[in-house]
Amino acid sequence: MKRSEAFETEKEIKKQRLVKELEGRRLPFLAPGDAGFQQLWETRFSSLARRRAVAVPPQLHRQVQASLCTLLRRGCLLRDLVRVRDRDVFTAVSRVLLGRRGHTYCYLHTRLFAVPWHEEGAEATGCCDEELGAACRALGELNRYFRADAARTCGTRGVAPGDGEAGQGRDVQGAPPSSGTEFNVALVNYMDPAAASYLKEEPYFGMGRMAVSWHHDENLVPGSTVAVYNYSCEGTDADPGDGELDGAAWRVGLKVAWDIDTPGLVLPLQSGDCYYMLDDLNTTHQHCVLAGASARFSSTHRVAECSTGTLDYIQRRCQEALKFLRSDLDSGTHTLRSLEPSVLQHCEEIHNEVEFQWLRQYWFQGRRYEKFCSWWRKPMEELEEAWRKMEIMTQLALAVAEDAARTMERRREVAQVLLPFLTERQERRQLWRARCHSRLAQTLPPDEAPMCRPDWHDDDSSMPLPFDLKAIIDALERVL
């Protein structure tokens, strides 16, 4: 995920530049009741829209809130061990990803695997028990509501109830359908501030304790909407209306990205409220979540950029590579169909992608998915079998590079292709193994603890190649 690493570096540079420019002073922000709040919302945060709880169907509220409590009670919501600036940290919130079957979502060098939300008309999978299946279906219902409601909202974005004029950044009623709201995943979050002593104060405006710090949501289709359902389950956050900011309420904070001239905006949320970040708001602005007094769920529905993030995609990639492996079922022998450098390069790219973007990502999260959903078990076993065949393909190519009977030109040609991929594979294997045995990883219970898989001893005769590739890399360098 080198693109993510570059983004993180750029983000850190901008952050340090902003802190230096502030020189310790606080930036202004506005909340309901402050003079100029509505004008600020309409002019600088016009792509933020709120749907009041009373406008959402009561039956949908009941189903969604019951399903969120079920996910918590059944242990489905867990803190992720993610990677930030070359170190592992736990997320402040506990979460689980739901979505279309075979979809994933990437953030902070972590790939989450969606528990299917059993959309209407989809084939029953039997991957969850009846109670969890009902919870997934309820969040699928919420997703369908958001698709329709957010699409309408994109059209009028600022028509306030009863005012009859197209303003900006207000509580919205309805409008013609729009694109960018075909939500394919939902990240369900939970936090109890009473049990979260590690929360930090918001650093730029003094808005209060942050449950989620300033960020852009990652891995989304550009210009797509993000829809959020807010549920404060203890009921302590009374409706703040348009009066003073209620310190007990959960709030969403927004600011124009890397801008110290525009005041920030804080929008308090009543339990059951929804809000939409429309169009390119997620790109041009940053948002944070400010903790209230009660425990709180959010279901955040996104249009994840899944061109390389679905099971169908990675299965097709495996087929592309394995078509160059010829296997004799009678003798059990294997040969490569091509030694063309472009073919070898393509196959080794896929080899690394399967191992590091899928297998190691999945098993780093332990057996958490298998605890409550079996959907991914068989596909991951099939991907691991395809990866094992790619190990054979690498072994066959290495044999060519090391074969003294071959011309030196051919040996060098093959070695030149293999060396960078095996060097990367060696480095990343060592990193993943270290992460799996880190101090933080060791604090997790056995069924959540990271697993270094695939993993094997170098003298394992059932494996085509050793886990540690240093000696092979040295041999390739000698060929070159």
Side-chain angles (χ1 to χ4, degrees):
M1 297 186 180
K2 293 181 179 177
R3 188 174 164 188
S4 295
E5 292 169 3
F7 177 77
E8 277 185 25
T9 302
E10 180 185 0
K11 176 182 167 185
E12 184 62 22
I13 292 171
K14 288 181 177 179
K15 179 180 177 182
Q16 294 303 325
R17 188 182 301 149
L18 179 61
V19 169
K20 184 178 180 180
E21 195 169 352
L22 287 176
E23 296 180 337
R25 63 189 173 94
R26 295 289 192 191
L27 294 173
F29 72 94
L30 300 180
D34 292 334
F37 171 79
Q38 192 64 46
Q39 182 181 10
L40 177 68
W41 188 358
E42 293 176 0
T43 56
R44 300 308 303 272
F45 300 90
S46 60
S47 293
L48 173 70
R50 177 173 58 182
R51 171 74 66 192
R52 291 287 197 176
V54 294
V56 179
Q59 178 64 16
L60 184 59
H61 277 309
R62 287 191 290 272
Q63 291 176 339
V64 169
Q65 292 172 11
S67 73
L68 294 172
C69 292
T70 295
L71 292 175
L72 177 64
R73 178 171 50 81
R74 294 291 300 274
C76 303
L77 299 166
L78 300 166
R79 294 171 68 190
D80 290 326
L81 188 55
V82 298
R83 194 133 182 104
V84 179
R85 292 192 292 277
D86 296 328
R87 65 188 183 95
D88 286 348
V89 297
F90 282 117
T91 54
V93 299
S94 302
R95 54 179 42 131
V96 67
L97 183 73
L98 281 78
R100 291 180 183 169
R101 289 181 296 175
H103 277 54
T104 68
Y105 178 71
C106 293
Y107 81 113
L108 298 179
H109 305 277
T110 301
R111 183 181 299 278
L112 298 182
F113 296 78
V115 176
W117 51 30
H118 306 295
E119 290 183 284
E120 186 178 351
E123 181 183 349
T125 62
C127 61
C128 303
D129 62 38
E130 185 175 345
E131 183 181 42
L132 286 175
C136 293
R137 283 193 297 275
L139 288 164
E141 288 289 339
L142 176 63
N143 196 66
R144 280 189 288 278
Y145 172 82
F146 272 155
R147 282 186 187 177
D149 191 60
R152 290 191 296 268
T153 300
C154 284
T156 57
R157 124 166 29 163
V159 176
D163 71 2
E165 295 182 4
Q168 296 292 317
R170 301 201 182 186
D171 302 313
V172 293
Q173 286 278 332
S178 179
S179 60
T181 61
E182 291 299 307
F183 307 117
N184 49 22
V185 296
L187 194 58
V188 176
N189 303 304
Y190 173 79
M191 174 184 278
D192 182 358
S197 58
Y198 45 79
L199 297 188
K200 296 180 180 179
E201 292 290 321
E202 191 284 312
Y204 308 126
F205 301 88
M207 292 175 173
R209 289 199 308 162
M210 297 187 300
V212 182
S213 58
W214 291 108
H215 67 289
H216 306 275
D217 286 345
E218 296 183 50
N219 194 219
L220 305 183
V221 170
S224 61
T225 293
V226 177
V228 181
Y229 182 90
N230 175 74
Y231 172 40
S232 300
C233 42
E234 299 300 324
T236 59
D237 56 340
D239 181 4
D242 293 322
E244 295 299 319
L245 183 63
D246 184 347
W250 282 78
R251 294 144 289 154
V252 58
L254 289 100
K255 67 183 179 75
V256 179
W258 315 114
D259 178 356
I260 65 172
D261 298 318
T262 304
L265 181 140
V266 170
L267 186 67
L269 299 169
Q270 183 184 8
S271 187
D273 279 357
C274 309
Y275 64 91
Y276 303 122
M277 294 188 292
L278 306 169
D279 303 332
D280 61 351
L281 182 72
N282 180 62
T283 302
T284 58
H285 294 60
Q286 292 174 300
H287 61 282
C288 68
V289 180
L290 302 160
S294 62
R296 179 248 192 183
F297 294 94
S298 67
S299 185
T300 62
H301 296 241
R302 304 146 189 251
V303 189
E305 202 294 293
C306 282
S307 60
T308 62
T310 65
L311 179 62
D312 286 345
Y313 159 81
I314 197 61
Q315 287 175 333
R316 287 196 305 271
R317 292 278 281 173
C318 289
Q319 291 168 4
E320 289 173 17
L322 295 180
K323 71 183 181 182
F324 293 104
L325 177 65
R326 182 188 293 111
S327 301
D328 187 317
L329 298 179
D330 295 328
S331 64
T333 58
H334 304 278
T335 54
L336 292 176
R337 295 182 184 274
S338 174
L339 289 173
E340 285 297 315
S342 60
V343 170
L344 294 178
Q345 179 174 332
H346 186 59
C347 293
E348 292 302 322
E349 284 175 352
I350 296 170
H351 189 162
N352 278 0
E353 183 176 16
V354 173
E355 180 170 342
F356 299 109
Q357 297 299 332
W358 290 82
L359 295 176
R360 297 199 182 279
Q361 287 281 356
Y362 182 83
W363 291 112
F364 184 74
Q365 296 165 64
R367 297 189 179 277
R368 61 167 61 186
Y369 295 101
E370 294 188 9
K371 287 200 305 181
F372 50 85
C373 176
S374 62
W375 194 90
W376 283 96
R377 183 184 304 157
K378 183 178 179 182
M380 297 311 295
E381 290 173 353
E382 292 172 346
L383 285 181
E384 191 161 339
E385 181 58 31
W387 165 86
R388 189 181 294 266
K389 291 178 180 178
M390 291 179 212
E391 286 281 293
I392 294 172
M393 295 177 71
T394 302
Q395 179 193 41
L396 294 170
L398 283 167
V400 173
E402 296 168 356
D403 186 359
R406 301 269 184 169
T407 65
M408 184 54 71
E409 182 182 7
R410 169 62 81 182
R411 293 176 63 193
R412 285 175 175 166
E413 185 179 62
V414 172
Q416 193 166 17
V417 172
L418 293 180
L419 183 59
F421 290 104
L422 268 64
T423 301
E424 179 186 6
R425 196 170 302 161
Q426 169 74 357
E427 292 172 354
R428 295 178 76 173
R429 281 181 182 174
Q430 300 307 319
L431 172 62
W432 278 101
R433 179 177 270 180
R435 291 187 69 193
C436 288
H437 295 94
S438 70
R439 179 183 58 81
L440 284 180
Q442 299 305 309
T443 65
L444 291 167
D447 56 355
E448 297 174 29
M451 300 171 63
C452 185
R453 180 171 171 178
D455 193 21
W456 65 99
H457 296 293
D458 290 341
D459 58 357
D460 187 341
S461 60
S462 69
M463 293 297 296
L465 294 170
F467 183 94
D468 190 320
L469 299 171
K470 187 177 185 306
I472 292 175
I473 291 169
D474 291 343
L476 288 177
E477 288 175 340
R478 285 195 295 271
V479 170
L480 293 174

